[in-house]
Amino acid sequence: MATTPSLPIARKQIFIRGIVQGVGFRPFVYNLAQSLGLCGYILNSSSGVTVEIEGAENTIEQFLDTLRNSPPPLAQITDIVLTEISLQGESGFSIRASIAEDHAFVLISPDVATCDDCWREFGDPSNRRYGYPFTNCTNCGPRYTIIQNIPYDRPKTTMAPFRMCELCRAEYEDPGNRRFHAQPNACPVCGPSVVLAQSGSHLPSASDFSSAANSSLATLRQVRALLREGCIVAVKGLGGFLLACDAQNDAAVKLLRQRKRRSDKPFAIMMRDIAAVESFCVTTEADRAALQSARRPIVILEKRPDANLSRAIAPGNDSIGVMLPYTPLHYLLFSDSPEEAPEFPALVMTSGNLSEEPIVTANEEAWQRLHPVADWFLLHNRDIYMRTDDSVVRTFQGRERVLRYSRGYVPQPLDLSIDPGIPLRELLACGAELKNTFCMTKDRYAILSQHIGDLENYETLVFFQETLANLKKLFRVEPQAVAYDLHPSYMSSRFALALPIERKIGVQHHHAHIASCMAENHLHGKAIGVALDGTGYGTDGKIWGGEFLIADYAGFERRAHLRYVPLPGGDAAVRQPWRMALSYLRDTFGSDALPGSLRFPGRVPEKQIALVDAMIARRIQTVATSSCGRLFDAVAALVGLGEQVSFEGEAAIALESAAQSGVEQRYSFCVEDGEPMQLDMRQVIEEVTRDIALGKAAGHISACFHNTVAAAIVEVCQRLRQQEKLTRVCLSGGVFQNMYLLERTVKGLYGCGFEVYLHALVPPNDGGISLGQAVIANEILRQEE
């Protein structure tokens, strides 16, 4: 009788790197091995995941094929290293205890929005988690905001104080359950709880949270009632507190703006589902994908003309920032369950802080700092270890484009692989002053921090330092060099220069912008870089911001720029765009009488105009600037859209918002030859004033101006291509957050045969500066070897 030959047996050790902790990877591997009848084990370590697998060779190949091609949805595998090892002859497959390793690091998952399965559960009256605002599983829930150290296990998170009940423990240990090894797993019996407290009363104690353990749904219903009455509620969320009010209650929104000292800066709003969003906003397929992604960012959308929302949400702006709920608590602010209609179409959900301060995270801190703003506090007793703001994106060319890099993205590093096989140096890049992030590099990764904010006060510097300490710990980075912006007054630069690190590397601001775009797009060699923004310290001591560079990581040549004009009064000119309008008028018309049709002189006291006019004429308290952002400010002020502003970029946003569609005309400009070339916009100013005198609408003038800037960019790039034989163009800087300008610039460049590279994951504004500093500093260090 013939016998079936036995299949060859093998044992392999598999080391896996990537985002493989906190994403259900161990349960996935366990169930896969069990289903294939393979033996061995899996464990987490500080550097990744180790698997040993034993069985028939063809079955092991099937196991590996599934691992590579069908991992858990949240996992991202970057490396798989296979080693043949000796057979052990064991039976069964197990999950072993995690191992901590010195100097090793593992990629950590960002926080993940609530999945549909969990929503159905906490919205089901028959489910034991009905109305529970901390429901999660291996496919969703907190990660970065609760992780204190690696490997990612419950004792090393802020869930450590909450001991799982028998039912939760059974889920956690059941390989067939989607909560198998879900570290934040909890329920009303054993997990965190919420308490509602009125401002001015007593701060809830630990006993208050214990007694409220089974009353979450009743508390959330009470919060909804308060919001309907027009109250402002400080809500402790995932990465910090949010201030909430009814987005249709104009009085409540205005009161929140007044109390928060928010001036006219737009508020974000939250809507329960995509149907609600589409009833208020115009959306594309890419917008809907971004809104519903596991990251759940704020997405900038065009508001419908008939949208019934308070105008105080985004004064003078046709766009609004919208996000969907990303925690069970958020869903429960709208209704008890998915089947019920939401009690509000939209809620304002803005960062829980006072103007320009970091988002508040701790109950005690919120109670002290937010009591002048909030009427009520919705608190919980799960600590937030790392504060993170909501991320902000826009979509362009069918892709998500990050404007603020934070929750949902951090701490996932960028795989640069600039020089394959050559690891990046361990260094720190401290970023810029506004919209600050910092960046560290190690191995092949750039580790970009969450949005820190404007480094203009002590509280934000403390946030910078606590985030730096945490990311150094999680990624086991010990910087051997530090990169910083050349501006001598930036707090980030002063911080870098004070560090006890011997090697310090200054990086020019606009070179960093272009290098950031190049690194994100994995470019090597030289490219034409167009860096347009508001402020950047130049190598000549002047304020740059309208720059055309020939750049690589090692250096740059400034080959063209906007013609210099005086910046009268420094930062005062940023707050009062009429000053830049006057500066451009004097640059265009000289000392002649100003055109009589201008709109801003009637809105600014004559004495102030005369004083600034004298400053410009005598070059007193002025510095020369080539800033494109200030050019936008000037034109906005000329057409009456922003003599004074309350936040950075406000006038430019108003100018973009006003631009009429369907306008193809543009103004005249001149590119003066030289080293570097100068882009002269005096004819633009002359023709803008002419159109104002003719009574042309601000929207028409805005469209012509935007068309002119786009055409000028294309013209300069064509000249540089002719000189340098380069076809790659990188666009970076905060001005390219302007979608009207970006669309026309990209279309013009494509039409002339250029390869155009844009930011996507990294912000084009100063939030991306630190990445550029990091790759430039790495290249400088490499060349020094």
Side-chain angles (χ1 to χ4, degrees):
M1 181 176 177
T3 59
T4 304
S6 60
L7 295 171
I9 303 297
R11 186 179 183 91
K12 295 184 187 293
Q13 184 182 76
I14 310 164
F15 178 64
I16 306 157
R17 293 199 69 181
I19 297 181
V20 289
Q21 293 189 20
V23 291
F25 197 79
R26 286 180 296 178
F28 168 80
V29 169
Y30 177 93
N31 286 314
L32 177 61
Q34 291 280 75
S35 69
L36 295 174
L38 294 169
C39 301
Y41 67 86
I42 181 172
L43 61 81
N44 279 350
S45 71
S46 301
S47 55
V49 168
T50 298
V51 179
E52 288 196 9
I53 204 82
E54 186 170 321
E57 285 190 354
N58 63 335
T59 309
I60 290 176
E61 286 305 314
Q62 186 180 346
F63 173 90
L64 291 169
D65 183 68
T66 305
L67 200 64
R68 292 186 181 103
N69 300 312
S70 303
L74 299 178
Q76 292 186 25
I77 296 174
T78 59
D79 297 291
I80 296 179
V81 179
L82 291 174
T83 306
E84 191 89 23
I85 57 176
S86 303
L87 298 177
Q88 298 294 315
E90 64 194 310
S91 60
F93 192 90
S94 63
I95 297 178
R96 292 189 179 179
S98 300
I99 298 174
E101 301 168 312
D102 292 337
H103 308 298
F105 73 97
V106 66
L107 305 189
I108 297 167
S109 168
D111 300 291
V112 182
T114 301
C115 68
D116 290 343
D117 289 334
C118 283
W119 188 15
R120 280 189 289 270
E121 285 183 347
F122 67 77
D124 179 2
S126 66
N127 192 283
R128 72 187 187 94
R129 289 188 173 87
Y130 178 52
Y132 185 57
F134 303 96
T135 304
N136 66 86
C137 68
T138 55
N139 298 320
C140 69
R143 301 291 192 275
Y144 175 60
T145 51
I146 66 169
I147 293 174
Q148 297 167 323
N149 210 335
I150 55 173
Y152 174 58
D153 288 309
R154 192 179 183 107
K156 295 184 178 180
T157 74
T158 60
M159 284 297 294
F162 302 97
R163 185 174 180 178
M164 280 184 276
C165 65
E166 289 186 9
L167 290 176
C168 285
R169 174 60 64 181
E171 293 171 331
Y172 183 86
E173 295 175 351
D174 178 7
N177 194 293
R178 76 174 198 283
R179 294 191 171 91
F180 184 42
H181 279 252
Q183 303 306 327
N185 188 28
C187 75
V189 173
C190 63
S193 54
V194 293
V195 169
L196 181 65
Q198 189 169 13
S199 183
S201 63
H202 76 279
L203 176 66
S205 64
S207 60
D208 292 321
F209 285 103
S210 297
S211 60
N214 291 298
S215 59
S216 295
L217 190 55
T219 300
L220 270 296
R221 287 170 178 165
Q222 189 178 351
V223 172
R224 296 202 296 262
L226 291 169
L227 291 168
R228 283 197 305 273
E229 293 170 8
C231 292
I232 297 168
V233 181
V235 178
K236 188 177 183 181
L238 187 64
F241 276 79
L242 297 174
L243 291 163
C245 71
D246 181 354
Q248 292 185 313
N249 187 324
D250 196 54
V253 178
K254 287 178 177 176
L255 182 61
L256 175 57
R257 188 169 290 284
Q258 176 187 333
R259 289 180 179 177
K260 197 171 185 277
R261 307 200 297 267
R262 182 74 171 194
S263 59
D264 290 335
K265 199 170 185 179
F267 287 140
I269 60 175
M270 180 178 283
M271 300 183 185
R272 193 187 72 170
D273 50 42
I274 202 71
V277 176
E278 291 182 320
S279 68
F280 289 96
C281 304
V282 177
T283 64
T284 64
E285 183 178 346
D287 293 330
R288 294 187 291 275
L291 284 162
Q292 297 177 97
S293 73
R295 289 169 166 153
R296 287 290 200 281
I298 296 169
V299 183
I300 307 299
L301 300 172
E302 180 187 348
K303 185 170 57 177
R304 293 187 182 278
D306 59 348
N308 181 23
L309 296 168
S310 169
R311 292 188 178 275
I313 290 170
N317 200 329
D318 292 334
S319 298
I320 52 174
V322 183
M323 59 181 159
L324 296 182
Y326 52 88
T327 72
L329 186 147
H330 294 147
Y331 281 104
L332 294 166
L333 291 175
F334 289 93
S335 64
D336 286 356
S337 73
E339 285 71 33
E340 293 182 11
E343 294 188 28
F344 310 93
L347 292 172
V348 168
M349 289 291 239
T350 187
S351 298
N353 58 358
L354 297 179
S355 183
E356 307 311 326
E357 292 183 359
I359 190 170
V360 172
T361 56
N363 292 344
E364 296 80 3
E365 181 188 14
W367 196 256
Q368 293 172 4
R369 301 187 74 81
L370 300 182
H371 76 87
V373 183
D375 300 307
W376 291 82
F377 287 80
L378 180 61
L379 307 171
H380 64 71
N381 57 342
R382 184 182 70 201
D383 288 342
I384 298 168
Y385 190 69
M386 279 312 304
R387 69 184 88 211
T388 55
D389 285 278
D390 295 313
S391 295
V392 181
V393 308
R394 291 189 93 154
T395 63
F396 179 71
Q397 294 182 330
R399 257 188 102 178
E400 193 179 280
R401 310 281 175 176
V402 174
L403 305 181
R404 185 166 77 191
Y405 185 88
S406 203
R407 177 191 50 77
Y409 296 86
V410 179
Q412 183 174 344
L414 284 71
D415 188 346
L416 296 183
S417 300
I418 292 174
D419 288 314
I422 302 176
L424 295 165
R425 281 68 176 169
E426 292 192 23
L427 60 77
L428 165 66
C430 290
E433 182 87 343
L434 302 180
K435 299 178 177 63
N436 177 268
T437 63
F438 63 81
C439 181
M440 294 185 293
T441 53
K442 181 171 182 173
D443 290 349
R444 69 195 206 205
Y445 298 106
I447 303 146
L448 196 64
S449 79
Q450 67 263 42
H451 169 79
I452 302 296
D454 297 349
L455 284 176
E456 296 178 336
N457 53 58
Y458 173 74
E459 292 82 5
T460 310
L461 178 60
V462 170
F463 177 25
F464 179 106
Q465 291 171 313
E466 70 185 23
T467 307
L468 175 59
N470 186 54
L471 288 176
K472 283 173 62 179
K473 176 178 63 177
L474 291 180
F475 288 93
R476 309 298 198 248
V477 180
E478 287 299 331
Q480 304 302 306
V482 59
Y484 62 94
D485 192 279
L486 295 179
H487 200 300
S489 298
Y490 279 5
M491 188 181 290
S492 59
S493 300
R494 298 200 305 270
F495 174 83
L497 291 170
L499 288 173
I501 297 174
E502 183 176 347
R503 189 66 173 96
K504 296 179 171 69
I505 301 168
V507 178
Q508 201 282 321
H509 189 89
H510 300 96
H511 184 203
H513 266 308
I514 300 308
S516 175
C517 185
M518 291 177 66
E520 181 179 354
N521 287 284
H522 296 92
L523 298 186
H524 302 269
K526 293 184 183 294
I528 298 169
V530 184
L532 305 183
D533 64 2
T535 300
Y537 194 77
T539 54
D540 57 1
K542 297 174 182 177
I543 302 301
W544 294 4
E547 310 307 313
F548 296 81
L549 312 179
I550 301 298
D552 57 17
Y553 300 124
F556 72 96
E557 296 176 51
R558 189 190 194 202
R559 299 296 294 275
H561 62 84
L562 278 171
R563 172 186 164 88
Y564 282 126
V565 296
L567 180 74
D571 288 345
V574 179
R575 296 188 297 271
Q576 299 175 330
W578 66 266
R579 291 175 178 244
M580 286 310 303
L582 186 58
S583 182
Y584 266 100
L585 288 169
R586 285 302 180 211
D587 187 54
T588 302
F589 297 106
S591 59
D592 295 343
L594 298 177
S597 56
L598 296 177
R599 296 169 189 173
F600 79 82
R603 306 178 189 182
V604 179
E606 287 185 14
K607 285 186 177 180
Q608 275 195 305
I609 293 176
L611 176 62
V612 173
D613 209 6
M615 289 168 59
I616 294 168
R618 299 171 187 172
R619 297 297 193 265
I620 298 172
Q621 293 185 356
T622 64
V623 61
T625 183
S626 59
S627 166
C628 189
R630 301 292 79 81
L631 173 62
F632 271 78
D633 286 352
V635 174
L638 286 173
V639 299
L641 291 175
E643 293 80 25
Q644 300 198 49
V645 298
S646 55
F647 64 92
E648 191 244 346
E650 182 179 2
I653 291 170
L655 191 64
E656 178 190 4
S657 184
Q660 290 178 0
S661 60
V663 176
E664 298 300 327
Q665 299 102 301
R666 67 168 178 84
Y667 299 125
S668 303
F669 62 88
C670 176
V671 180
E672 297 179 358
D673 290 331
E675 287 296 337
M677 293 180 285
Q678 291 193 57
L679 180 54
D680 188 341
M681 292 297 202
R682 284 178 291 184
Q683 286 176 277
V684 174
I685 300 300
E686 189 174 337
E687 291 173 23
V688 165
T689 58
R690 179 202 64 198
D691 279 356
I692 292 171
L694 292 172
K696 296 282 183 72
H700 175 85
I701 296 172
S702 173
C704 290
F705 171 70
H706 279 84
N707 295 344
T708 306
V709 175
I713 293 168
V714 174
E715 170 67 20
V716 175
C717 288
Q718 286 181 301
R719 294 193 182 202
L720 292 174
R721 177 173 61 185
Q722 187 175 12
Q723 296 169 10
E724 299 291 332
K725 311 304 180 194
L726 295 171
T727 60
R728 302 186 303 186
V729 177
C730 293
L731 305 180
S732 189
V735 168
F736 286 116
Q737 294 175 136
N738 182 319
M739 291 295 107
Y740 192 103
L741 176 67
L742 183 63
E743 182 179 343
R744 282 152 184 77
T745 302
V746 170
K747 181 179 179 182
L749 290 168
Y750 279 150
C752 292
F754 285 99
E755 302 169 45
V756 184
Y757 295 91
L758 309 175
H759 291 276
L761 187 58
V762 178
N765 56 47
D766 282 6
I769 284 286
S770 61
L771 172 62
Q773 291 174 343
V775 293
I776 289 168
N778 262 282
E779 179 63 17
I780 289 171
L781 292 174
R782 189 185 71 80
Q783 291 193 0
E784 288 177 349
E785 292 181 349

